Amino acid sequence: MRALSRLTLTQKLLGAIGLPLLAAFLALGVIVHTQLNATIPPMVENTSMRQVEARADEIGRWIAGYRTLLSGLAKDERLAVPVNVESHLEWLKSRHPGDATIESFYFADATGDTITHTGARADISGRGYFKDLVVDGTADRLLGNPVLSLVSGKPTAIIAETIFDARGNRIGLLGITLSMAAVSDITSAIDVGEGSYGYMVDRTGVVVAHPDPEVRMELRVTEADQAGFTGANALGQQMMAGEPGIGRVISPFGGAVTMVWHPIDGTDGWVLAAAIPNTVFTRVSSNLLFSLLLAGVATLALLLTIVAISARKVLAPIRRTTLAMADIAQGKGDLTQRLQVDSKDEVGQLAHQFNAFVERMQNTLLQVRENARTVLAGAGDIADGTQELSSRTEQAAANLQETSASMEEIHSTVSHTAQASEQANGLAVNAASVAERGNEAMTEMRSKMAAIDESANKISNIIGLIDSIAFQTNILALNASVEAARAGEHGRGFAVVAQEVRNLASRSSDAAKDIRGLIDTSVKHTQEGGKIVQEVVERMMELRQSVVQVSDVISEITAGAREQTAGIDQVNTAVAEMDTMTQQNAAMVNQSASLAATMHENARLLDELMSTFVLGDAPACSTATPRAPSRSALPAPSSAMSRPADPKPQPRKREKESEEEWATF
């Protein structure tokens, strides 16, 4: 996608047309190639077979002509007369047709003595065909297998006819030695394609006629595997079967080769064959395909050339539009120029709309230029006024900072006074609390003294009871002693016990008297202590009332100090807020001054940028932005900044006033 984005519209158009056509040509080529590969090989094979058949028929007719000639000559009566072979020399010369194909025209008698038309003598009695025709009589006419001529050293074939006398006896033969050069010429005329050739083999499989003289009479098709032709032996056996056919072998020179053969009629086993390289079959389809592709490429090139020329002509206005927009993008465009509209199609509409766009852009930039110049002039005034406002704001901030410091000192002093009042109030409260607890303790002590007095009275009563019990015990012990004395010896032990009880009762009585004395003394002291406690309680009540009065006074002092501290704290907070706001205002003024300077610089740069365009004169209806107010029109600083703060301001109201001042600023 990124590569496509770099292409021009002409290139994209050529690609959109050329690529589908190229794909269509390639698809057509593949289809044609497939069809040709399926059709051409059978067609070439049929053509080859017909050509080989025609050449085989030509060779057969050629040999049949000579055999007919020889058969007619053999019926001459002069040959039937048994004479010396030399007597037929003149006849042979006169009957020789003068054809160079006939290497020799000869006559042989029954003994094998032979004379040729040239007068040469030979003995052929040992030849096989002589035995078949004359000696054995197995045949009347014969076409021998080609052999190398003793005269020319080239392949020749013998055609012989038996000579009969008047009684029908075999008295000799008449023969023709035919040169196989003519057959080689016929086979060489076989041309199925580049690299193809024809050849002929005799009934034994020996190659008689071949384009290569070194192969003639040297190669047997039934033994060709030894020469490097893979599969040729089996194919040679099929050739010798006497039926036409087609086969394939692997040649050591040209790869796969298709063999087409046909037997030659009238030759008793001779076969004419053609060797066709398999490349011939593919070359036909390849040539056709190449021709088709060449025509397609030429057509495609011609079509693309026409499209490119047409596109170049059609897209020329777009190119001019692009150049004009490039000039505008580089800041060197002349916005007073317009594109020429030559047509009403999409390209013409594009040029018309581009002219409208440039006109609208020109008017807009003219207004921008006028406004930029106005902003440039106003920005200078704003910068000067903002600078002066910044100076005054900084001075007000310094004054507020000094006021804030003084208020901080007053606030600190009042805070210390409030803290001391708080401590005194705490001490007074603690003293009142202590007096109250002392009063409570004395009251409780008085109650305890009364309880002790009551307990002492009860103890005195108990001591009296104990004294009475000791007196009665003493009487009982005395009575027991009297009774023991009366009992005599038996009451002696009981008398001892009674004596001891009496002693204990006496001791208890003495102790009770001592306790009574002590209790009486304690009761007296307790009564005296109760009177003293009563007096202390009265004094503590007076002290408590004095401490409560002092605590109330100190509480009033503390409340007043607390209110003063809160008021000064609010004043200090208000001054701090004013100081903070003034500092923020100073920062905003400095920022505004910086922004004004930046706006002035941007306005200057915008004016310089506008000067790079050719805009022409400004239209009369153009409106400029109103000039910014001069620094003389700026509002004076508010006097509220120097007014003393309310000692008890409401925070919400002050926040609202701060917001209003910020909005006003």
Side-chain angles (χ1 to χ4, degrees):
M1 297 301 294
R2 184 175 298 177
L4 291 177
S5 63
R6 298 194 184 102
L7 299 178
T8 62
L9 188 59
T10 303
Q11 293 172 341
K12 291 180 180 178
L13 182 61
L14 293 177
I17 297 176
L19 292 178
L21 289 177
L22 181 60
F25 280 126
L26 292 177
L28 180 62
V30 172
I31 295 173
V32 171
H33 185 264
T34 303
Q35 294 296 328
L36 289 177
N37 286 337
T39 305
I40 294 300
M43 185 184 301
V44 175
E45 290 178 355
N46 293 334
T47 302
S48 303
M49 179 60 73
R50 288 196 297 269
Q51 189 172 165
V52 170
E53 184 179 358
R55 296 301 178 184
D57 182 67
E58 182 180 356
I59 294 174
R61 286 186 285 104
W62 178 74
I63 293 177
Y66 283 104
R67 295 187 74 170
T68 301
L69 174 63
L70 186 61
S71 180
L73 294 174
K75 291 180 174 60
D76 195 323
E77 295 178 351
R78 283 171 289 188
L79 297 178
V81 179
V83 295
N84 190 353
V85 294
E86 294 180 352
S87 302
H88 300 297
L89 178 60
E90 293 299 327
W91 185 88
L92 292 173
K93 289 181 178 181
S94 63
R95 297 298 186 274
H96 188 275
D99 190 354
T101 305
I102 299 177
E103 186 176 293
S104 63
F105 182 40
Y106 62 92
F107 174 79
D109 59 14
T111 62
D113 189 13
T114 304
I115 188 171
T116 68
H117 71 284
T118 61
R121 300 292 296 275
D123 184 8
I124 61 171
S125 58
R127 304 287 177 87
Y129 67 89
F130 180 79
K131 293 179 180 181
D132 293 336
L133 294 177
V134 179
V135 178
D136 297 334
T138 57
D140 294 337
R141 61 183 58 84
L142 183 143
L143 173 62
N145 288 325
V147 295
L148 292 177
S149 173
L150 298 176
V151 179
S152 63
K154 297 180 179 180
T156 57
I158 295 176
I159 301 176
E161 287 276 343
T162 303
I163 304 298
F164 294 92
D165 58 11
R167 293 190 298 275
N169 296 323
R170 300 175 184 270
I171 61 173
L173 59 83
L174 183 65
I176 298 175
T177 303
L178 293 176
S179 173
M180 292 292 100
V183 177
S184 296
D185 293 338
I186 294 174
T187 58
S188 298
I190 298 175
D191 185 11
V192 182
E194 183 179 356
S196 62
Y197 60 90
Y199 63 94
M200 189 188 74
V201 297
D202 60 13
R203 66 178 62 91
T204 62
V206 176
V207 177
V208 177
H210 194 277
D212 187 3
E214 296 182 358
V215 180
R216 299 170 187 170
M217 307 304 294
E218 298 294 335
L219 179 65
R220 192 181 300 272
V221 294
T222 56
E223 300 175 356
D225 281 355
Q226 289 77 358
F229 294 87
T230 305
N233 290 350
L235 196 65
Q237 296 294 336
Q238 295 179 16
M239 288 183 182
M240 297 298 97
E243 296 293 335
I246 297 176
R248 289 174 177 79
V249 298
I250 304 300
S251 172
F253 308 106
V257 178
T258 299
M259 298 293 183
V260 181
W261 67 86
H262 195 281
I264 301 175
D265 295 336
T267 59
D268 192 19
W270 287 13
V271 179
L272 180 64
I276 308 169
N278 285 358
T279 55
V280 173
F281 299 93
T282 58
R283 185 178 294 111
V284 174
S285 59
S286 299
N287 291 337
L288 290 176
L289 181 62
F290 178 76
S291 300
L292 178 62
L293 291 178
L294 185 62
V297 170
T299 303
L300 180 61
L302 179 61
L303 179 61
L304 293 179
T305 301
I306 295 174
V307 172
I309 295 174
S310 301
R312 186 177 182 85
K313 184 176 181 181
V314 171
L315 298 178
I318 298 179
R319 189 176 297 105
R320 291 195 297 270
T321 305
T322 303
L323 295 176
M325 294 182 71
D327 290 339
I328 295 174
Q330 295 174 1
K332 301 177 181 179
D334 186 358
L335 298 183
T336 60
Q337 295 183 0
R338 299 293 182 267
L339 295 178
Q340 183 179 358
V341 181
D342 299 328
S343 61
K344 295 183 178 180
D345 55 4
E346 289 79 359
V347 177
Q349 293 178 3
L350 175 63
H352 178 72
Q353 295 299 328
F354 177 78
N355 291 336
F357 166 73
V358 171
E359 183 177 0
R360 178 66 180 273
M361 186 175 178
Q362 179 186 5
N363 295 332
T364 302
L365 290 180
L366 283 171
Q367 294 180 6
V368 170
R369 184 178 65 181
E370 295 300 324
N371 293 334
R373 290 175 179 175
T374 303
V375 171
L376 180 60
D381 295 338
I382 292 174
D384 296 338
T386 305
Q387 189 67 30
E388 183 177 354
L389 179 60
S390 175
S391 177
R392 289 186 292 175
T393 304
E394 289 178 357
Q395 184 177 1
N399 295 332
L400 276 175
Q401 190 172 7
E402 293 177 357
T403 304
S404 178
S406 299
M407 291 303 299
E408 283 291 339
E409 293 178 359
I410 296 173
H411 179 266
S412 177
T413 302
V414 175
S415 295
H416 287 309
T417 303
Q419 290 177 1
S421 298
E422 290 287 345
Q423 291 178 359
N425 187 27
L427 293 175
V429 171
N430 290 333
S433 177
V434 171
E436 184 70 25
R437 288 196 301 271
N439 187 25
E440 292 176 357
M442 296 309 294
T443 302
E444 185 179 359
M445 185 176 178
R446 184 177 60 182
S447 299
K448 294 300 181 180
M449 292 299 293
I452 292 172
D453 187 19
E454 184 178 359
S455 298
N457 291 328
K458 290 180 180 181
I459 292 172
S460 177
N461 294 331
I462 293 170
I463 293 301
L465 180 60
I466 292 172
D467 188 21
S468 176
I469 292 171
F471 178 74
Q472 291 178 4
T473 301
N474 189 17
I475 292 174
L476 290 174
L478 181 60
N479 293 329
S481 298
V482 172
E483 290 297 329
R486 289 176 181 178
E489 189 66 28
H490 294 287
R492 186 181 294 174
F494 185 72
V496 174
V497 172
Q499 184 63 36
E500 289 297 328
V501 171
R502 185 179 177 187
N503 292 334
L504 289 174
S506 297
R507 291 170 59 187
S508 296
S509 178
D510 294 337
K513 291 178 178 179
D514 294 336
I515 291 173
R516 180 182 295 274
L518 293 175
I519 290 300
D520 291 337
T521 303
S522 296
V523 169
K524 182 179 180 181
H525 291 323
T526 300
Q527 290 177 352
E528 294 177 354
K531 292 179 180 180
I532 295 173
V533 167
Q534 183 65 32
E535 293 179 357
V536 171
V537 168
E538 291 176 357
R539 299 297 180 271
M540 288 298 294
M541 289 296 293
E542 295 176 358
L543 176 62
R544 177 177 173 276
Q545 291 178 357
S546 299
V547 170
V548 169
Q549 291 177 357
V550 172
S551 178
D552 293 338
V553 173
I554 293 176
S555 296
E556 292 178 358
I557 295 173
T558 301
R562 187 181 297 113
E563 290 179 358
Q564 290 180 358
T565 302
I568 293 174
D569 193 10
Q570 291 178 356
V571 172
N572 191 22
T573 302
V575 172
E577 289 178 356
M578 291 177 63
D579 182 43
T580 303
M581 183 178 65
T582 305
Q583 295 293 338
Q584 292 176 352
N585 291 342
M588 291 300 296
V589 168
N590 290 331
Q591 185 177 5
S592 298
S594 176
L595 291 176
T598 303
M599 185 175 66
H600 183 272
E601 180 65 19
N602 291 334
R604 186 184 62 80
L605 294 176
L606 180 61
D607 184 67
E608 291 179 358
L609 179 61
M610 290 298 103
S611 64
T612 60
F613 291 95
V614 179
L615 301 177
D617 296 332
C621 60
S622 62
T623 59
T625 304
R627 292 177 57 88
S630 62
R631 60 182 180 179
S632 61
L634 291 175
S638 176
S639 61
M641 298 178 61
S642 59
R643 186 181 304 164
D646 189 1
K648 294 183 180 180
Q650 298 295 328
R652 190 177 303 275
K653 182 177 180 181
R654 169 156 293 281
E655 182 180 357
K656 183 176 181 181
E657 290 177 356
S658 177
E659 293 177 355
E660 291 176 354
E661 290 177 358
W662 172 255
T664 303
F665 175 79

